[in-house]
Amino acid sequence: QVQLVESGGGLVQTGGSLSLSCAASGRTFSTYAMGWFRQVPGQEREFVCAINWSGASTYYADSVKGRFTISRDNAKNTVYLQMKSLKPEDTAVYYCAAKYTFAIVTKDTQFTYWGQGTQVTVSS
């Protein structure tokens, strides 16, 4: 069982930066692929980015490529999402997710564990 807790959300102006963290419980964090998703009320959950167990492989949605960076620190059981050049359309609740696998995972239906989410609001 893995518990995920996101933090770092908040309000930022267009063009600003924000960093999210997702802390995971358990001693096997390094065996989990991690992902970030976001969701706007009334809309489907959207894939943002993902990272494999070691951090060597990452994958980004086209909408965030070049602006967002996913990373992980297995010693701290934490995955990070650094966001820059934020736009109003980045406003959403951001969720981290985990799956026990050495592959990289990008589909929400493939993830096993989810955090409670953290709100990111980008003002225009």
Side-chain angles (χ1 to χ4, degrees), residues 23-40:
S25 64
R27 295 178 293 177
T28 59
F29 177 73
S30 61
T31 60
Y32 284 79
M34 302 297 295
W36 285 97
F37 291 79
R38 63 189 182 187
Q39 189 169 26
V40 175

Side-chain angles (χ1 to χ4, degrees), residues 33-38 46-72 79-82 94-95 97 102-108 110-111:
M34 302 297 295
W36 285 97
F37 291 79
R38 63 189 182 187
E46 176 189 15
F47 168 76
V48 176
C49 56
I51 191 167
N52 76 329
W53 69 278
S54 67
S57 295
T58 58
Y59 190 78
Y60 296 89
D62 288 343
S63 59
V64 306
K65 200 172 295 182
R67 299 188 299 121
F68 290 13
T69 302
I70 187 172
S71 62
R72 66 189 297 162
V79 63
Y80 304 97
L81 179 62
Q82 293 180 306
Y94 282 70
Y95 299 90
F102 289 106
I104 195 166
V105 181
T106 61
K107 294 185 178 181
D108 58 352
Q110 295 176 307
F111 282 93

